[in-house]
Amino acid sequence: MSTVEDKKQTAQDWEPNIVGFACNWCTYAGADLAGLSRMQYPPNVKLIRVPCSGRTNPQFVLRAFQKGADAVLVAGCHPGDCHYSTGNYFTRRRYLLMQRLLEYMGIDPRRFQARWISGSEAPKFRDVVTQMSEEVKALGPNKKLREEL
Amino acid sequence: MKYGFYPGCSLHGTGIEYGMSTTVVAKKLDINLVEIPDWNCCGASSAHNTDPLLAKALPARNLALAEQYGLNDIAIPCAACYQRLKMSELAVQKEETREEISEIIEMNLKGKARARSILEVFSNDLSEERIREEVVKPLTGLKVACYYGCLLVKPPEVAIDSTEHPLMMDRIITTLGGTPVEWDYKTECCGGALSLTRVDAAVMMTAKILHYAKLAGADCIATPCPLCTSNLDMRQKAAEKALGISINLPVYYFTELMGTAFGIAPNELGLDKHFVEAKSLLQNISAPAGQ
Amino acid sequence: MKRIGVFVCHCGTNIANTVHCDQVAEVAKDFPGVVYSCDYKYMCAEPGQQLIQDAVREHNLDGYVVAACSPRMHEPTFRKCAERAGLNPYMIEQVNIREQCSWVHADKEKGTEKSIDLLRMAVAKARKNEPLSSSTIPVTKRALVIGAGIAGIQTAIDIADNGFQVTLLDREHSIGGRMAQVDKTFPTLDCSACILTPKMVEAAQHPNIEMVTYAEVTAVDGFVGNFDVTIRKKARYVDFDKCTGCGACQEKCPKKVSSEFEMGLGPRKAIYVPFPQAVPNKPVIDAEHCRYLLDGKCGVCKKICPTEAVDYEQKDEVIVERYGSIVVATGFDQFDISKYEEYGAGRYPDVITGLHLERLMNASGPTAGKIKRPSDGKVPEKIVFIKCVGSRDEAKGRPYCSKACCMYVAKHATLIKEKMPQSKSYIFYMDVRTGGKSYEEFYKRTQEQYDGQYIRGRVSKIFQVGDKLIVRGEDSLIGRPVEIEADLVVLAAGMEPRADAVALARTLGISYDQHGWYTEAHPKLQPIETHTAGIYLAGVCQGPKDIPESVAQASAAAVKATGLLSKGELTSEAMIAECNEAVCAGCGLCISVCPYKAIEKKKVSERVHGQMKERVVAVVNPGLCQGCGACTVNCPSSAMNINGFTNEQILAEVDALCQR
């Protein structure tokens, strides 16, 4: 874990570490399509595949911040397009609330995003990831909720 | 029943008989119309053609005044005034807009006041029985083409009745003992907006309405709108010329017909203020009612 | 600790170009649990798979991770490979370093770094993998088809021909549906009845088809393979075993009712067969209008019946039947044109719909095939058609295209010209959409040979002057208003879902869109399936279609249903929810979020302080659960978990990603 400290030395070199939760049916497929289309984006977001964005337990998000993630992205099908009919409606409600809670706890809302990216929206995936990487890079490392701080 | 009353400019000018008849008819029906103190122009139609914000703010001041005096239901005879106030009422339901407008008019707007057309008040807030109670001279045999114009029924969000086939006035006429005719020009444009700039076009539009009312077998036309009335009444001579036929259809405010059926004297209703002679028709039909 | 192997794929140069695959494999050797790691050019090719299998045996691996393309591409391949190596297929993980790494990052060092992170994540997950297995469920080899229009009939015949029992159910008392009302069909102009009635008879006589008409589905329990369907058979007041269909009762019945089949253009009796070719061709009594059933007077039909088939005492009958699969083919309602007040629809008798015109043109219709206007029986000369009435109109809540109208209007215009050469048809249109085999050619013929005058623009108003209907619209190609004095106006009313479509969807547990059309599992690749396993869609209930499309979908639904029935038993998903009964508090919050009704409560007994106690816990039905995981997040005590995506596995992934 000492490497994290080393990497934060200069703001210029520092790259954020962003954990992404992507639903298997839409966003993960959209990310694959971005690859097939050879779109380029920063390597900061790493996706964890989940069956549905509604599978993403808020506990996972808190754990990511606790273990040192600089931002978290939860992404799934557009509301109405859920592979499981209703999963992303729960995600939407849950994460509106969660974003407020995190903000209350001092985490900039830009560090926690819930987005809808369909399997055909490769450009949107690229744009969301690029924008988030840039914004979080500008914000600097997250210090809130981290267990080693 | 108590309502805020917004007369607007027409009721002091071209539509003076609308104001006269509304006031006496309301009194007969125990409707207390309290004129909103210090009311101002509704903005029609210059304001909404020039500045959307002004178009909302001008009527909003009247809404705010009504609120202040606890007159949350505003009865409005003029169709154009109704539409402007209703548009403003709907706009200020949005918190953002309400705050913006409140700042402009320097009054605290709560968004509680409701703009109501006087036609809607007579038709919805009173039972048919209540109106029938006052009828002493039923309009038996009088065939009326009820002409609603556009402002009360379009766009759909401000409509007091069906946008294409409204029936409120038809029902009142039936209650008064008259016969509304079935016709299809109820909501066609009278050419009001062109009445000063393109008189030729306006006359043709008015002429069509008059022509179809005639074809439908009407003896007269009833309207709830001062602008429509002035077009249909004042331009009827020009329309006759354009069509090359005689029309001779008196154009009444529906309140004048109510007043007549209630037995109110013609001059109290302003029946002497029409372009197309309007008194004799009603005298003739009212006569057999006494039997 | 589990012994994990790591296999890094080059994918030729696809990965190796921007990722140091050898370095990745080398670093992985230090990950906890990894006992073997290597890289290779093509892991998915036969030699690559052989390499994996050899390594599993040689190093006694409990599981492995393949760093390669997307698991959406090759996960099944590597799972099978694991099986061949003697491992449980769910003991492996595949990590995506191609689509989500090498192809999207040009910087080789950064790509390598990200690959290592992703691989660490996958290894952490793989260490917590457990062997999973699917369970099996027996299948009831019988299908139910709801709705017996052309789609339902076709489905039933196809399933029956494949050797399975089918129940063909309709709420009307004859099968045939909308197509039975149609006079002729486009683009061939063959008579609808001539092609439909043989199919109706075939369905009725097929040894594998049981026809249940005048009946409705009221409840559906169970799940794929074993649906328990409650069916209410409405009382017909006629004993079909005794009735010979002689028709004497219909003739003598004194009560005339406006006929639904004839769109209100003609009468029927209170005891009636809806149309001459009806199947079954035996009458029922309409209890709402029958004089005897209403006030005990009359009884003529009972007196006249030579076989004593009339039975006023008959009651509705409720039965419960078990089916392996269900096909929904409930069709559509015609858009209610009275919502277009500007067209005077509902006020002017001569403003009618396409379906009315079908009846007016039909030889067995109310006018015996002579086109006469409903108001005065006059033969119309000028006929105006208006397209997109209740289609492509957001203001009316119907933004979609009803698809069949462009063609049926062309058909009407053609047939009218054939029947009445002196007539003239004007067709107001927004666009002409004639996608379909021989459709465009048909439309062209309507214009060129049958004198159909197409006017591009909307109609703003229709009003009556004398006995003419004045149609006022716009010709947007010349930018002028137009007015036509018509004798008859035909509105091409669009299709809308059945008024009770949503209620049936809820009964069946299938989803529907904002309009009420039933939603297919995937708009392109699963247009027949619903999200509910074992329930399939055929015909217009899924969205507007014409006859050929409905028939094609019907046959497809039959294949799907047959495929399911032909299996002796069903394998359920392996990666599904499981309840840890030890910590489950029985609150039932999981039940409320489950889209598949897959969770139920059950009672368990356990010994507490020497006493047997009963408590309630949740139990997942493996036949229904699809593994979405909604229940896991809603569970306050974390008793719910998804096998293969457990809380522990995902947390391990999070930890691994953050640990750099």
Side-chain angles (χ1 to χ4, degrees):
Chain A
M1 235 150 280
S2 58
T3 50
V4 177
E5 298 298 321
D6 297 340
K7 276 182 191 162
K8 283 191 302 191
Q9 287 306 314
T10 55
Q12 234 84 48
D13 294 343
W14 179 77
E15 286 292 338
N17 188 24
I18 302 173
V19 175
F21 294 93
C23 95
N24 180 49
W25 307 100
C26 286
T27 307
Y28 200 88
D32 280 355
L33 184 62
L36 281 166
S37 320
R38 307 297 197 274
M39 291 173 177
Q40 297 292 306
Y41 55 82
N44 309 70
V45 177
K46 284 138 212 166
L47 295 186
I48 295 177
R49 187 164 67 123
V50 285
C52 174
S53 59
R55 171 69 186 97
T56 317
N57 197 314
Q59 184 198 0
F60 304 159
V61 178
L62 292 174
R63 176 79 147 245
F65 283 121
Q66 183 190 11
K67 293 289 177 186
D70 297 300
V72 176
L73 169 70
V74 177
C77 312
H78 285 267
D81 294 349
C82 181
H83 181 78
Y84 303 105
S85 310
T86 51
N88 53 6
Y89 291 134
F90 298 120
T91 314
R92 182 166 64 177
R93 268 181 261 168
R94 199 172 280 141
Y95 288 110
L96 269 174
L97 205 66
M98 180 114 190
Q99 199 166 38
R100 287 196 199 169
L101 176 73
L102 288 173
E103 196 175 358
Y104 177 75
M105 290 157 79
I107 291 187
D108 191 293
R110 282 169 289 184
R111 293 190 192 272
F112 176 69
Q113 300 279 329
R115 293 299 182 90
W116 317 122
I117 303 168
S118 79
S120 58
E121 291 179 324
K124 185 172 178 187
F125 178 81
R126 175 197 58 198
D127 295 345
V128 165
V129 166
T130 309
Q131 188 196 358
M132 204 167 168
S133 299
E134 283 166 5
E135 280 180 2
V136 176
K137 193 167 179 178
L139 285 170
N142 179 45
K143 296 191 174 73
K144 297 279 178 187
L145 299 180
R146 287 182 73 152
E147 64 182 3
E148 70 256 27
L149 290 177
Chain B
M1 276 189 276
K2 187 172 155 187
Y3 295 86
F5 185 59
Y6 179 83
C9 63
S10 288
L11 268 59
H12 290 272
T14 52
I16 193 157
E17 63 271 38
Y18 196 10
M20 292 164 73
S21 54
T22 300
T23 315
V24 286
V25 165
K27 208 169 165 189
K28 266 269 186 217
L29 293 165
D30 303 316
I31 289 175
N32 184 9
L33 298 178
V34 182
E35 186 161 335
I36 298 168
D38 193 32
W39 59 266
N40 60 268
C41 171
C42 72
S45 37
S46 20
H48 63 272
N49 284 336
T50 46
D51 181 355
L53 196 57
L54 179 67
K56 285 179 219 143
L58 267 174
R61 184 174 172 275
N62 297 312
L63 297 174
L65 280 169
E67 276 178 10
Q68 269 184 13
Y69 292 98
L71 303 165
N72 282 343
D73 270 29
I74 311 170
I76 308 163
C78 170
C81 298
Y82 161 75
Q83 200 200 46
R84 291 334 306 161
L85 263 74
K86 191 74 189 172
M87 285 285 197
S88 180
E89 175 206 315
L90 295 177
V92 302
Q93 296 309 308
K94 231 173 105 187
E95 203 179 324
E96 235 172 88
T97 318
R98 186 164 67 244
E99 281 167 12
E100 189 186 7
I101 302 277
S102 291
E103 204 169 295
I104 294 171
I105 61 174
E106 297 181 356
M107 289 174 85
N108 186 19
L109 196 56
K110 295 191 200 76
K112 274 190 183 165
R114 295 283 165 268
R116 307 277 309 276
S117 151
I118 193 84
L119 173 58
E120 191 194 353
V121 170
F122 286 157
S123 160
N124 290 358
D125 296 8
L126 292 173
S127 66
E128 278 177 24
E129 289 71 48
R130 178 69 194 89
I131 295 177
R132 204 172 288 126
E133 270 170 31
E134 297 299 332
V135 176
V136 294
K137 287 184 181 172
L139 306 178
T140 316
L142 186 69
K143 286 190 244 157
V144 184
C146 293
Y147 175 70
Y148 295 76
C150 60
L151 292 161
L152 290 180
V153 292
K154 285 169 190 173
E157 52 269 30
V158 304
I160 62 167
D161 200 347
S162 157
T163 39
E164 297 294 342
H165 194 59
L167 288 167
M168 275 184 181
M169 225 174 355
D170 296 63
R171 279 196 294 265
I172 291 181
I173 298 298
T174 309
T175 312
L176 300 176
T179 313
V181 300
E182 177 68 35
W183 72 316
D184 291 281
Y185 265 68
K186 286 180 167 182
T187 62
E188 288 300 290
C189 179
C190 71
L194 301 172
S195 62
L196 298 177
T197 47
R198 281 284 307 276
V199 180
D200 55 331
V203 165
M204 272 326 289
M205 295 170 98
T206 307
K208 272 197 171 168
I209 295 166
L210 292 165
H211 184 47
Y212 280 107
K214 196 84 186 165
L215 283 177
D219 301 322
C220 63
I221 294 177
T223 88
C225 172
L227 195 59
C228 299
T229 306
S230 51
N231 267 337
L232 295 172
D233 193 18
M234 195 169 75
R235 297 199 189 285
Q236 203 170 111
K237 277 267 158 323
E240 284 179 337
K241 212 176 193 179
L243 293 170
I245 53 168
S246 152
I247 291 172
N248 194 27
L249 281 177
V251 182
Y252 300 106
Y253 291 103
F254 75 103
T255 44
E256 292 177 295
L257 294 177
M258 289 177 86
T260 304
F262 294 174
I264 297 163
N267 288 3
E268 267 186 76
L269 297 167
L271 286 177
D272 51 346
K273 299 188 188 300
H274 287 232
F275 284 85
V276 178
E277 201 280 317
K279 272 160 91 173
S280 51
L281 177 69
L282 295 184
Q283 262 160 12
N284 292 342
I285 65 104
S286 297
Q291 292 167 2
Chain C
M1 188 185 270
K2 289 207 178 76
R3 297 171 61 82
I4 305 292
V6 169
F7 303 94
V8 182
C9 180
H10 294 199
C11 196
T13 55
N14 277 312
I15 296 173
N17 259 4
T18 38
V19 171
H20 296 293
C21 294
D22 51 341
Q23 266 184 42
V24 175
E26 196 57 36
V27 173
K29 283 179 180 160
D30 294 334
F31 292 164
V34 174
V35 293
Y36 177 76
S37 176
C38 73
D39 58 306
Y40 183 70
K41 217 167 171 57
Y42 289 110
M43 283 296 174
C44 63
E46 197 43 46
Q49 292 196 43
Q50 195 55 50
L51 181 155
I52 295 174
Q53 287 167 43
D54 292 345
V56 169
R57 293 195 186 93
E58 193 179 327
H59 299 279
N60 199 18
L61 300 179
D62 296 311
Y64 61 79
V65 176
V66 186
C69 53
S70 173
R72 291 172 57 87
M73 178 105 184
H74 268 314
E75 199 171 55
T77 312
F78 294 118
R79 285 212 200 287
K80 278 192 195 119
C81 174
E83 264 185 313
R84 283 201 293 275
L87 287 176
N88 179 288
Y90 295 94
M91 293 305 287
I92 70 119
E93 286 297 320
Q94 184 180 355
V95 61
N96 186 343
I97 61 165
R98 191 179 77 171
E99 283 87 343
Q100 295 184 16
C101 189
S102 72
W103 277 350
V104 288
H105 308 310
D107 185 325
K108 200 164 182 175
E109 301 312 315
K110 282 186 175 167
T112 306
E113 210 176 294
K114 180 171 171 181
S115 297
I116 292 170
D117 285 345
L118 290 173
L119 184 56
R120 186 191 299 114
M121 166 183 93
V123 169
K125 184 181 184 194
R127 287 174 61 205
K128 295 193 181 291
N129 280 13
E130 292 295 335
L132 301 178
S133 58
S134 313
S135 53
T136 55
I137 325 155
V139 174
T140 305
K141 298 194 169 220
R142 208 170 150 218
L144 169 68
V145 178
I146 306 173
I150 182 60
I153 292 172
Q154 185 66 47
T155 308
I157 291 175
D158 284 356
I159 296 174
D161 281 348
N162 284 329
F164 293 96
Q165 296 291 319
V166 197
T167 298
L168 179 59
L169 179 142
D170 202 287
R171 69 165 151 209
E172 300 300 333
H173 87 268
S174 170
I175 61 172
R178 289 286 178 206
M179 189 174 167
Q181 287 180 287
V182 172
D183 179 42
K184 294 204 164 54
T185 55
F186 59 78
T188 46
L189 295 183
D190 38 9
C191 125
S192 184
C194 311
I195 54 177
L196 175 67
T197 31
K199 281 207 184 280
M200 288 161 67
V201 173
E202 187 185 349
Q205 293 176 346
H206 204 294
N208 284 343
I209 297 179
E210 177 203 13
M211 235 171 39
V212 179
T213 60
Y214 218 45
E216 281 174 321
V217 171
T218 55
V220 176
D221 291 310
F223 44 88
V224 54
N226 299 283
F227 293 103
D228 290 318
V229 183
T230 311
I231 297 167
R232 188 169 63 89
K233 292 178 166 177
K234 292 178 274 188
R236 304 166 190 264
Y237 307 102
V238 174
D239 185 339
F240 272 28
D241 291 337
K242 290 183 186 162
C243 175
T244 57
C246 70
C249 51
Q250 276 196 86
E251 227 163 86
K252 297 290 179 196
C253 174
K255 177 72 185 173
K256 274 191 183 177
V257 184
S258 161
S259 160
E260 297 84 358
F261 183 83
E262 301 294 356
M263 302 296 291
L265 294 170
R268 63 164 170 86
K269 298 292 183 66
I271 184 164
Y272 71 109
V273 174
F275 54 103
Q277 308 94 328
V279 173
N281 207 327
K282 292 176 182 178
V284 296
I285 296 179
D286 166 9
E288 275 177 37
H289 294 100
C290 169
R291 286 188 186 169
Y292 185 86
L293 290 170
L294 285 175
D295 50 21
K297 290 172 195 148
C298 188
V300 167
C301 50
K302 196 179 172 81
K303 281 175 218 146
I304 202 93
C305 179
T307 58
E308 294 181 339
V310 175
D311 173 10
Y312 297 125
E313 302 304 313
Q314 231 181 51
K315 295 271 175 292
D316 289 4
E317 187 191 348
V318 176
I319 54 167
V320 180
E321 298 276 331
R322 178 165 282 195
Y323 297 99
S325 65
I326 299 175
V327 177
V328 189
T330 48
F332 67 100
D333 279 338
Q334 190 174 246
F335 179 83
D336 172 14
I337 55 167
S338 69
K339 287 179 186 159
Y340 281 81
E341 290 183 304
E342 60 269 41
Y343 295 168
R347 285 188 284 133
Y348 303 137
D350 295 333
V351 176
I352 60 172
T353 70
L355 219 42
H356 288 100
L357 187 60
E358 296 285 350
R359 295 317 302 154
L360 291 178
M361 291 197 295
N362 192 281
S364 59
T367 54
K370 240 181 125 53
I371 300 174
K372 295 177 185 167
R373 352 195 272 180
S375 64
D376 53 9
K378 232 182 79 180
V379 175
E381 283 190 7
K382 270 192 194 175
I383 297 129
V384 170
F385 290 90
I386 304 174
K387 293 212 267 186
C388 300
V389 175
S391 305
R392 304 177 69 197
D393 190 345
E394 280 177 36
K396 297 287 187 291
R398 297 277 170 240
Y400 54 80
C401 168
S402 288
K403 215 174 178 181
C405 327
C406 278
M407 280 304 292
Y408 82 59
V409 169
K411 174 192 79 178
H412 285 158
T414 299
L415 291 172
I416 283 180
K417 193 75 187 172
E418 267 183 359
K419 275 184 189 268
M420 309 185 295
Q422 82 290 358
S423 71
K424 172 83 183 169
S425 291
Y426 300 88
I427 299 134
F428 282 92
Y429 70 99
M430 287 163 64
D431 291 291
V432 177
R433 297 179 168 179
T434 52
K437 199 172 174 182
S438 308
Y439 286 7
E440 177 70 12
E441 295 92 316
F442 186 96
Y443 154 59
K444 279 283 160 215
R445 274 202 303 279
T446 306
Q447 270 188 311
E448 288 159 9
Q449 291 173 27
Y450 291 91
D451 195 27
Q453 187 175 335
Y454 277 72
I455 303 169
R456 184 174 175 278
R458 291 297 279 175
V459 169
S460 66
K461 195 173 184 76
I462 297 172
F463 56 96
Q464 197 154 18
V465 173
D467 71 340
K468 296 279 181 194
L469 291 161
I470 312 294
V471 180
R472 178 184 296 164
E474 181 199 15
D475 186 333
S476 64
L477 293 181
I478 56 169
R480 289 261 172 84
V482 284
E483 252 184 36
I484 296 168
E485 278 187 14
D487 299 306
L488 181 71
V489 177
V490 184
L491 305 181
M495 301 182 202
E496 62 182 20
R498 292 278 186 193
D500 54 358
V502 169
L504 181 65
R506 289 189 179 141
T507 305
L508 290 164
I510 59 176
S511 46
Y512 49 90
D513 67 13
Q514 73 262 41
H515 307 297
W517 300 118
Y518 297 147
T519 314
E520 61 284 358
H522 188 284
K524 284 167 279 289
L525 302 179
Q526 291 176 292
I528 314 294
E529 294 93 330
T530 63
H531 283 296
T532 306
I535 302 185
Y536 308 104
L537 302 174
V540 182
C541 65
Q542 181 247 345
K545 280 178 200 68
D546 57 18
I547 293 169
E549 274 185 299
S550 295
V551 172
Q553 198 187 12
S555 288
V559 169
K560 292 283 175 188
T562 310
L564 177 66
L565 298 182
S566 60
K567 291 179 191 164
E569 45 191 25
L570 288 176
T571 323
S572 62
E573 277 277 333
M575 289 157 100
I576 55 169
E578 195 176 334
C579 178
N580 181 350
E581 290 176 7
V583 293
C584 175
C587 69
L589 283 176
C590 48
I591 298 173
S592 64
V593 295
C594 178
Y596 303 102
K597 298 183 191 163
I599 310 174
E600 285 174 349
K601 284 183 184 179
K602 72 163 183 187
K603 280 191 180 141
V604 290
S605 307
E606 59 189 2
R607 188 172 288 276
V608 184
H609 301 304
Q611 269 186 315
M612 285 306 285
K613 287 225 165 142
E614 268 200 347
R615 66 186 178 95
V616 174
V617 295
V619 57
V620 178
N621 183 328
L624 292 179
C625 178
Q626 304 287 314
C628 72
C631 54
T632 62
V633 189
N634 233 30
C635 179
S637 51
S638 290
M640 277 290 176
N641 231 335
I642 296 286
N643 288 327
F645 287 103
T646 63
N647 291 333
E648 296 73 22
Q649 285 176 313
I650 297 175
L651 286 171
E653 287 181 280
V654 171
D655 290 354
L657 279 185
C658 295
Q659 181 198 98
R660 339 190 269 176

